[in-house]
């Protein structure tokens, strides 16, 4: 690992000011499980690393029906996955969080980090997409909220400015939410998703998202539009699955061919839909 | 930079460069070589230690992140010649072979039992799935954790 | 027996659960330097020029070496490798140059500063292609290489070993066959992946004594190889292997030691350490060779195998110094555990520009059994027979013959093992199907066998020293890689000496201080070192009995060892504590006789004979065969292609289990390791370059993949084994993959002729099948 300056900041303002001093050479350190690998492998060599884990409120997680769920930027995936309100009201998010890496990784890594990495196969991204999560950001011009549906811009690219600090994620509460998370991987535990998927039904609205089938995790607008107001049965599932090819653009890599990813995308969407019956 | 942290119950003040991992600091500066580097990428769990009671991989943590935290390594489990219950059951069930993954495995199990003193077999399997062992086939490791849970209970 | 056959806890437990045990990477020496290696990015290329100036000038660098400094070829069976590439590189990842520097980081940076100009050559990555006439020749000087005479290189080709087995008359048998079956199989490259990566330290002293600390299975073999390669006499070369964090064959030979010794020669008396990263481990240590296998089998109408004609083509990679023996071992076991009168087998070790193949647990056997055992199920189906019945009809049985024409030993327990797993898995009762219609379950069975593949005269030795408090030191150079040899060997000594295990300390792994051991490989330690220990105990006993007979004034023949005493059988109250004789006997007049008691034992198997060079036949080619069987039940998710192994049962005939729980632990580990090779593991390459040199994309099983396991042991004693024991740790791996693949057929009706059964391969096969 190349040498760098390390700042353990106490406030958001201090973090922003450290970022502003050297926007291109700075990197925020949260759980570190992705950043440190990338620094060790020399893919990243920031001049300064800004550790945000000491900022007050960043480790908060709270829920109310009115405000929904707030997950502070530094809440670990392990803590989030076992949080009573998450398990009760957002079970698909808890399930997704439990599928990220190992227990040790989940004791350090965070959902905010998982989203900010903007990996196409981020496990917590698909639940965030279907739950219409909002990324709470503070930057040079003050606080802003970025819907997660507008957050991902490409492989490892987000809509964040270099001087932005993500404070946490808010997820609205839905009373009658039915949903599930599904993951296909080579090995049952501690593996990257070959494909992952989330689906929810809220009233007559269906929301579906897939990971690892495009440069970013994506929603499936055509499938959702087709399903809207329809009853889930063999026939509608089949028609919905036929629309998937048009919505995804998977690639070949060491984990899978694009053909197999397409197959898995359909299997997982089918599983999401079947659970809504 | 200077950090202050608790290491196996001792309060330590230490000077360390920011680009040193916690694993490297423990092994090189403190001769605590129980935590091993098996992959350097958080995939094998051989470097697992407890950070504030929770298992984490020390290869993916900067040493400076230990500032203000409490760290326990495998060397901090036994009290002199009196072994921790998990250490005893790992021996009595034969839950080790080459021994390279063993310290990390025990630390993960320690973290599990602290949080969930009476885990099911499936919970143990899931909790230990971040610790690779190439020798044992895991059966005796799981039995050792079950047996330690029973003795603790 | 008091100590043998008892499941005592491991003698190395405490130091392993506390982190006290120091592995090589845990050793810190004063003024230690660290090595960095420059590796080839190309699979096959001429080295035109190496410029080391920038590296040499880099602050903190103490030495730089390249291949031209050490062009001497070395190797265990075939001297085809150099530790650094000299004229050309033959695989991507081959070491080209190295530096020694003050820190690991500086060493890495400096290695990158070395500039190498290459002329890229046409490379070859498939062993079958490499055998073709127009293939590029990877070792043009093969004919000049030193080779152990039992191997047959074919200079001018890429074939570094051609083993031929010719038994009976295959053509005639095919002519009168009721049916003939032909099948091809492929097993890809995989890797051992011990959790401890390779690591070594080397240091010269002022008098040119070289000490090497290495995580190695075979300190004496490493010493011999390094002595030869670097012209250091044996008495000035000390190899210490303080602990081995898993081997499985990966640490059987020499790998990175040869990189640091040339550096150590240049830095005075400073020690140099090289620790492989996981990526180095994948790319630059051994891999298991890939195998293309082909079987043509003639069967009579009762299901008796009349003839087998087969071909094994091993992808040996860039160097086959060890790989030639794998090809040979596969050849002489050509038909697995079956008794076949007519055999025609060709087994070839072939150079390619792939990573270097080496010994991996059960070498040769796991790979050929993938085909052999699927074939048995296939033949049974086609004949309308029960696959268990077919196996029994053809099984090697006492009095029968092996592939090389040797008599099957009276202790062959193959049928007993097969019965055990069939019963345990309830093979003939179909699996209960899960509620989920996308999932299907089924059972599978496979048999296997292996012999230690080693030189006929592979020897072992043991020294036991008695202490005056009645305790003892047992010194051997068998290495405990985790398999539990420290414990089992201590038990054998305890039994022989009648001294409790707690009073015996075992010392291993130091060529200056522990006696000769050929290698810790081939599942031979319990047998071979065990026999040496039995002899050392006998030696001690004869000394003790001699002294005690003088002291007690009884006949030597009437004295036995029991409960830490020499005891007169006729009246056990007449006894002498062993401890009182440990330093000799003091006579009534005060004078002493004999002095301290030291026992020595050496062992070499008797009567193991060479193969006939033309036919490959031999009446006793190996010391023993270990037989066994697996039964598994699996569940296939037909939509995602994931396979879950639900249950596994094994039974191996170990002769005598010195420590039954340790035997079971070997089987459990083998089940899970074998499961990995069946459903996860494959080195994915493009033009010889690894695409998955990490645990992110090379998946080995976790605790979540562990099946429910039932392990049984058969004990038909080995006539010349210590207390009847024979080796079993490798054999336990062999039937794993074929049993899973057989279960897969029973679940889906699809035969998979290549490993591993990844989700994608499974889904594609199902799709093809359903067309």
């Amino acid at each position: 690992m190349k040498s760098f300056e390390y700042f353990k900041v106490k406030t958001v303002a201090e973090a922003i000011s450290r970022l502003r001093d050297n926007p291109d050479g700075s990197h925020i350190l949260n759980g570190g499980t992705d950043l440190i690998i990338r620094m060790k492998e020399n893919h990243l060599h920031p001049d300064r690393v800004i550790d945000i884990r000491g900022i007050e409120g960043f480790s908060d997680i709270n829920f109310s029906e009115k405000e929904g769920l707030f997950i502070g930027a530094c809440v670990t995936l392990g803590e989030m996955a076992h949080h009573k309100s998450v398990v009760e009201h957002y079970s698909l998010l808890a399930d997704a969080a439990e599928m990220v890496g190992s227990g040790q990784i989940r004791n350090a890594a965070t959902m905010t980090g998982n989203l900010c990495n903007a990996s196409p196969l981020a496990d917590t991204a698909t639940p965030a997409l279907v739950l219409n999560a909002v990324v709470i950001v503070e930057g040079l011009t003050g606080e802003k909220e970025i819907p997660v549906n507008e957050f991902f811009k490409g492989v490892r690219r987000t809509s964040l400015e270099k001087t932005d600090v993500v404070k946490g994620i808010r997820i609205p509460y839905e009373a009658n939410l039915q949903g599930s998370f599904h993951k296909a991987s080579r090995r049952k535990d501690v593996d990257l998703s070959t494909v992952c998927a989330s689906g929810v039904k809220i009233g007559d609205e269906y929301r579906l998202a897939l990971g690892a089938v495009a440069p970013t995790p994506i929603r499936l607008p055509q499938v959702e539009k087709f399903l809207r107001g329809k009853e889930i049965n063999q026939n509608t599932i089949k028609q919905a699955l036929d629309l998937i090819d048009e919505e995804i653009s998977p690639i070949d890599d060491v984990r899978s061919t694009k053909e197999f990813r397409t197959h898995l995308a359909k299997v997982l969407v089918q599983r999401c839909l079947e659970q809504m019956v | 930079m200077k950090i202050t942290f608790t290491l196996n119950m001792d309060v330590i003040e230490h000077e360390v460069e920011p680009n040193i991992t916690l694993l490297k600091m423990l092994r090189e500066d403190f001769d605590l070589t129980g935590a091993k580097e098996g992959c350097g990428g958080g995939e094998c769990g051989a470097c697992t230690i407890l950070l504030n009671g929770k298992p984490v991989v020390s290869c993916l943590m900067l040493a400076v992140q230990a500032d203000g935290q409490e760290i326990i390594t495998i060397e901090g489990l036994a009290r002199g010649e009196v072994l921790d219950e998990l250490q005893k059951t790992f021996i009595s069930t034969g839950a080790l072979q080459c021994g390279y993954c063993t310290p990390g495995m025990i630390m993960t199990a320690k973290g599990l039992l602290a949080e969930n003193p009476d885990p099911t077999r499936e919970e143990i399997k899931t909790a230990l799935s971040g610790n690779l062992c190439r020798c044992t086939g895991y059966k005796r490791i799981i039995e050792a954790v079950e047996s330690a849970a029973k003795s603790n209970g | 027996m008091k100590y043998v056959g008892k499941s005592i806890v491991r003698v190395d437990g405490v130091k392993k659960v506390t982190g006290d045990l120091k592995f090589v990477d845990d050793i810190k020496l004063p003024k230690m330097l660290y090595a960095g290696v420059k590796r080839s990015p190309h699979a096959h290329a001429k080295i035109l020029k190496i410029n080391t100036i920038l590296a040499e000038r880099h602050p903190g660098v103490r030495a730089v070496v390249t291949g031209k400094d050490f062009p001497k070829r070395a190797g265990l069976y075939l001297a085809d490798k150099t530790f650094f590439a000299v004229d050309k590189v033959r695989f991507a990842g081959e070491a080209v140059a190295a530096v020694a520097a003050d820190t690991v980081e500086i060493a890495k940076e400096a290695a990158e500063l070395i500039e190498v100009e290459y002329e890229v050559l046409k490379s070859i990555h498939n062993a079958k292609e490499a055998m073709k006439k127009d293939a590029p020749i990877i070792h043009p000087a093969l004919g000049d290489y030193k080779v152990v005479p039992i191997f047959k290189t074919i200079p001018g080709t890429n074939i570094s070993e051609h083993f031929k087995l010719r038994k009976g008359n295959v053509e005639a048998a095919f002519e009168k066959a009721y049916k003939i079956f032909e099948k091809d199989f492929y097993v890809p490259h995989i890797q051992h992946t011990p959790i401890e990566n390779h690591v070594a330290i080397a240091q010269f002293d002022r008098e040119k004594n070289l000490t090497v600390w290495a995580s190695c299975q075979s300190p004496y073999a490493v010493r011999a190889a390094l002595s030869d390669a670097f012209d250091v006499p044996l008495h000035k070369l000390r190899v210490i292997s303080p602990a081995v964090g898993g081997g499985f064959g990966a640490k059987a030979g020499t790998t990175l030691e040869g990189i640091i010794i040339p550096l150590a020669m240049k830095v005075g008396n400073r020690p140099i350490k090289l620790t492989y990263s996981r990526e180095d481990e994948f790319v630059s240590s051994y891999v298991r060779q890939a195998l293309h296998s082909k079987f043509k089998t003639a069967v009579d109408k009762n299901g008796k195998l009349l003839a087998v004609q087969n071909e094994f083509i091993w992808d040996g990679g860039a160097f086959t110094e060890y790989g030639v023996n794998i090809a040979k071992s596969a050849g002489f076991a050509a038909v697995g555990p079956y008794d076949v009168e007519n055999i025609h087998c060709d087994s070839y070790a072939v150079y390619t520009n792939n990573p270097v193949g080496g010994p991996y647990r059960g070498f040769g056997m796991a790979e050929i059994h993938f085909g052999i055992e699927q074939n048995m199920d296939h033949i049974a189906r086609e004949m309308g027979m029960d696959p268990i019945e077919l196996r029994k009809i053809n099984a090697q049985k006492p009095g029968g013959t092996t592939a090389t024409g040797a008599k099957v030993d009276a202790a062959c327990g193959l049928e007993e093992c097969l019965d055990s797993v069939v019963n345990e898995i309830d093979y003939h009762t179909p699996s209960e199907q899960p509620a989920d219609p996308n999932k299907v379950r089924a059972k599978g069975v496979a048999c296997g066998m292996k012999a230690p593949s080693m030189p006929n005269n592979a020897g072992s030795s043991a020294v036991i020293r008695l202490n005056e408090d009645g305790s003892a030191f047992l010194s051997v150079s068998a290495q405990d890689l985790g398999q539990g040899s420290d414990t089992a060997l201590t038990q054998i000594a305890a039994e022989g000496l009648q001294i409790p295990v707690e009073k015996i300390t075992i010392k291993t792994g130091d060529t200056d201080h522990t006696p000769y051991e050929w290698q810790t490989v081939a599942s031979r330690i319990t047998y071979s070192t065990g026999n040496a220990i039995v002899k050392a105990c006998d030696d001690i006993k004869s000394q003790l009995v001699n002294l005690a007979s003088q002291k007690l004034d009884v006949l030597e023949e009437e004295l036995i060892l029991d409960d830490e005493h020499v005891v007169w059988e006729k009246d056990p109250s007449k006894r002498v504590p062993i401890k009182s004789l440990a330093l000799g006997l003091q006579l009534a007049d005060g004078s002493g006789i004999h002095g301290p008691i030291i026992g020595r034992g050496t062992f070499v198997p008797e009567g193991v004979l060479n193969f006939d060079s033309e036919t490959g036949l031999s009446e006793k080619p190996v010391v023993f065969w270990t037989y066994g069987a697996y039964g598994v039940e699996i569940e296939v998710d037909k939509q995602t292609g994931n396979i879950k192994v639900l249950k596994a049962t094994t039974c191996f005939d170990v002769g005598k289990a010195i420590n039954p729980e340790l035997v079971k632990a070997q089987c459990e580990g083998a089940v899970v390791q074998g499961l990995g090779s069946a459903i996860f593991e494959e080195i994915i390459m493009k033009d010889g370059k690894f695409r998955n040199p990490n645990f992110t994309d090379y998946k080995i099983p976790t605790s979540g993949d562990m099946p429910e396991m039932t392990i049984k042991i058969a004990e038909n004693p080995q006539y010349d084994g210590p207390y009847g024991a024979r080796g079993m740790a490798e054999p336990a791996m062999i039937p794993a993959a074929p049993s899973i693949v057989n279960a897969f057929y029973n679940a889906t009706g699809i035969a998979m002729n290549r490993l591993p059964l990844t989700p994608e391969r499974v889904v594609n096969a199902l799709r093809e099948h359903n067309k």
Side-chain angles (χ1 to χ4, degrees), chain C residues 36-366:
Chain C
V37 186
K38 177 74 176 180
R39 297 190 177 280
S40 163
H42 305 296
H44 199 193
K46 231 187 238 170
I47 298 172
L48 299 177
K49 200 170 142 198
I50 303 178
N51 184 349
T52 58
I53 282 288
L54 291 175
E56 281 163 25
R57 288 182 186 158
H58 195 62
V61 169
R62 305 291 165 179
V64 180
V65 292
T66 65
K68 68 173 175 6
D69 300 338
F70 292 92
K72 192 170 170 186
R73 295 196 174 271
L76 188 66
Y77 298 108
L78 167 64
D80 66 355
K81 81 168 178 187
T82 50
F83 290 101
F84 292 98
V86 180
D87 47 348
K88 62 174 187 172
V89 292
R90 293 177 171 85
F91 73 100
E94 184 170 0
V96 175
V99 305
D102 292 345
T103 68
V104 177
E105 291 74 19
I106 296 172
K108 274 189 192 153
E109 281 166 24
E112 286 315 305
L113 295 174
I114 296 170
E115 296 164 333
V116 189
E117 271 178 53
Y118 296 99
E119 179 192 323
V120 175
L121 301 171
K122 187 169 184 278
S123 61
I124 191 136
H125 302 288
N126 176 304
K128 282 164 98 172
E129 300 291 318
M131 285 176 75
K132 291 187 177 159
K133 287 238 151 38
D134 58 345
I137 301 301
I138 295 166
H139 287 266
L142 176 59
D144 302 333
Y145 296 171
K146 206 166 74 185
V147 60
V148 175
I150 53 170
F151 296 100
K152 266 190 225 136
T153 60
I154 307 183
T157 73
N158 287 317
I159 300 168
S160 58
E161 157 72 348
H162 177 197
F163 180 84
K164 286 186 275 190
L165 186 66
R166 305 286 184 262
K167 185 170 113 172
N169 185 340
V170 174
E171 285 75 22
F174 279 118
E175 264 171 38
K176 65 174 184 194
Y178 172 68
K179 274 189 180 172
I180 292 173
F181 302 95
E182 293 189 69
K183 282 265 176 197
D184 292 1
F185 301 94
Y186 178 67
V187 179
H189 295 90
I190 61 171
Q191 199 175 50
H192 322 61
T193 71
I195 307 303
E196 178 202 36
N197 295 315
H198 279 73
V199 52
I201 303 169
Q203 183 178 27
F204 280 95
D205 71 10
R206 205 178 291 277
E207 294 165 88
K208 296 285 171 226
N209 292 301
L210 169 62
T211 305
V212 176
W213 291 260
S215 172
C216 68
Q217 298 180 207
S218 312
Y220 276 88
V222 169
R223 188 182 69 153
L226 297 178
S227 165
D228 184 44
F230 299 105
D231 296 318
V232 181
L234 293 175
H235 72 293
K236 292 177 87 63
L237 207 175
R238 178 181 183 191
V239 177
I240 302 172
S241 180
V244 182
F248 317 110
K251 295 167 184 165
T254 51
T255 43
L256 75 183
E257 298 88 350
I259 292 174
I260 52 175
I261 291 170
L263 290 167
M265 287 174 172
K266 292 191 168 187
V267 295
N269 303 333
R270 296 183 73 171
I272 299 178
K273 185 195 267 188
L274 177 57
T275 307
Y276 271 180
S277 67
R278 181 54 62 182
E279 183 171 344
D280 294 335
E281 181 75 19
F282 271 113
V283 174
S284 305
S285 73
Y286 287 128
V287 300
R288 185 171 91 177
Q289 309 181 108
L291 169 67
H292 305 265
S293 65
K294 210 157 103 176
F295 295 83
K296 183 177 173 189
T297 311
V299 182
D300 77 7
K301 64 180 188 327
N302 301 316
K304 176 77 193 145
L305 306 188
L306 297 175
V308 174
Q309 177 164 9
N310 49 7
E311 181 184 75
F312 303 138
I313 298 175
W314 298 90
D315 185 335
F319 302 102
T320 61
E321 52 122 355
Y322 217 124
V324 291
N325 196 35
I326 298 168
K328 181 179 160 79
S329 302
F332 69 69
V335 292
Y338 303 108
D339 193 334
V340 181
E341 212 177 303
N342 306 290
I343 303 173
H344 181 287
C345 174
D346 292 292
S347 186
Y348 301 94
V350 181
Y351 288 124
T352 63
N353 295 111
N354 287 333
V356 180
Y360 180 13
R361 193 176 197 173
F363 75 45
M365 298 299 107

Side-chain angles (χ1 to χ4, degrees), chain C residues 432-434 439-442 633-637 642-646 747:
Chain C
E432 249 179 69
Q433 295 304 323
K439 292 183 176 161
V440 56
R441 292 182 180 184
E633 181 172 23
I634 68 166
E635 180 176 282
V636 183
D637 183 325
N642 291 99
I643 292 174
K644 189 166 174 47
V645 181
L646 304 169

Side-chain angles (χ1 to χ4, degrees), chain A residues 1-2 183-192 252-261 263-264 267-268 270-271 274, chain C residues 105 436 438 637-640 642 644 680 684 691-692 695-705 759-760 763-764 767:
Chain A
M1 222 183 312
K2 296 249 160 69
K183 171 167 175 163
S185 55
R186 298 157 297 184
R187 189 174 71 189
K188 180 170 149 287
D189 296 301
V190 198
D191 196 1
L192 300 170
D252 286 333
D253 65 15
V254 74
R255 278 159 224 146
S256 171
T257 61
K258 57 178 183 266
E259 289 77 18
F260 188 53
R261 284 206 165 92
H263 166 82
L264 287 176
V267 168
L268 299 189
Q270 181 182 354
R271 288 183 181 185
E274 280 169 354
Chain C
E105 291 74 19
D436 184 343
N438 295 313
D637 183 325
K638 292 189 284 181
Q639 283 188 315
T640 63
N642 291 99
K644 189 166 174 47
F680 297 135
I684 302 170
R691 297 181 68 211
N692 57 339
F695 284 138
T696 311
D697 288 315
Y698 185 99
K699 289 297 185 199
I700 66 171
T702 74
S703 48
D705 304 304
E760 180 156 8
V763 165
N764 288 343
R767 185 179 294 152

Side-chain angles (χ1 to χ4, degrees), chain B residues 50-145:
Chain B
L50 296 182
L51 173 73
N52 303 324
K54 292 198 166 156
V56 296
V57 282
S58 59
C59 73
L60 294 188
M61 209 180 131
L62 299 176
V64 289
Q65 288 178 279
D67 187 39
Q69 317 293 316
E70 188 187 302
I71 290 184
I72 298 183
T73 70
I74 188 74
E75 291 87 350
L77 280 199
R79 296 272 155 272
E81 283 170 26
V82 183
L83 301 182
D84 182 85
E85 195 57 37
L86 274 163
Q87 292 174 315
K88 287 187 207 162
T89 58
F90 265 63
I91 295 174
S92 61
T93 57
L96 59 100
Q97 288 188 23
C98 81
Y100 208 75
C101 74
T102 311
M105 197 69 84
I106 291 177
M107 296 316 282
T108 301
K110 188 76 186 164
L112 167 70
L113 294 185
E115 196 170 295
N116 180 359
D118 188 22
T120 63
R121 181 161 266 237
E122 280 312 305
E123 284 170 338
I124 298 171
K125 283 166 98 170
T126 304
L128 296 179
S129 63
N131 291 78
L132 296 177
C133 169
R134 194 57 154 168
C135 298
T136 63
Y138 302 105
K139 180 169 181 263
R140 285 160 201 271
I141 295 175
I142 290 156
E143 288 165 359
V145 179

Side-chain angles (χ1 to χ4, degrees), chain C residues 590-766:
Chain C
S591 64
I593 58 168
H594 190 285
I597 290 185
I598 297 175
R600 68 177 181 109
T602 62
F603 178 76
V604 67
E606 275 177 24
V608 182
L609 306 170
N610 282 342
F611 298 92
D612 180 277
S613 62
E614 284 311 306
T615 63
L617 299 178
S618 170
E619 279 169 27
K620 185 171 169 65
V622 295
V623 292
F624 54 75
W625 291 99
T626 301
Y627 298 90
Y630 265 52
V632 297
E633 181 172 23
I634 68 166
E635 180 176 282
V636 183
D637 183 325
K638 292 189 284 181
Q639 283 188 315
T640 63
N642 291 99
I643 292 174
K644 189 166 174 47
V645 181
L646 304 169
K647 283 185 194 162
T649 179
T650 71
C651 184
F652 283 84
D653 189 344
V654 306
K656 169 73 189 170
I658 302 294
N659 183 321
E661 287 303 313
L662 285 181
V663 167
K664 288 182 183 175
Q666 282 309 295
C667 293
E668 292 155 11
V671 164
V672 174
Q673 208 172 98
L675 178 161
S677 72
I679 65 177
F680 297 135
E681 296 178 38
E682 174 173 20
I683 290 168
I684 302 170
M685 280 185 272
K686 187 168 188 327
D687 302 328
K689 282 176 206 166
F690 257 77
R691 297 181 68 211
N692 57 339
N694 49 57
F695 284 138
T696 311
D697 288 315
Y698 185 99
K699 289 297 185 199
I700 66 171
T702 74
S703 48
D705 304 304
M706 183 198 86
E708 192 186 314
M709 289 188 259
T710 318
I711 311 296
K712 300 284 178 188
I713 300 171
E715 291 186 311
N716 294 296
Q718 175 66 25
Y719 72 92
D720 62 349
Y723 302 99
R726 72 173 70 82
M728 53 68 59
E730 290 180 287
M733 168 108 176
I734 290 160
S739 65
I740 290 169
V741 180
N742 284 342
F744 183 80
Y745 182 94
N746 294 336
T748 62
I750 301 171
M752 297 290 266
N753 65 354
R754 70 157 293 173
L755 286 174
L757 275 57
T758 58
E760 180 156 8
R761 227 166 254 142
V762 165
V763 165
N764 288 343
L766 284 162

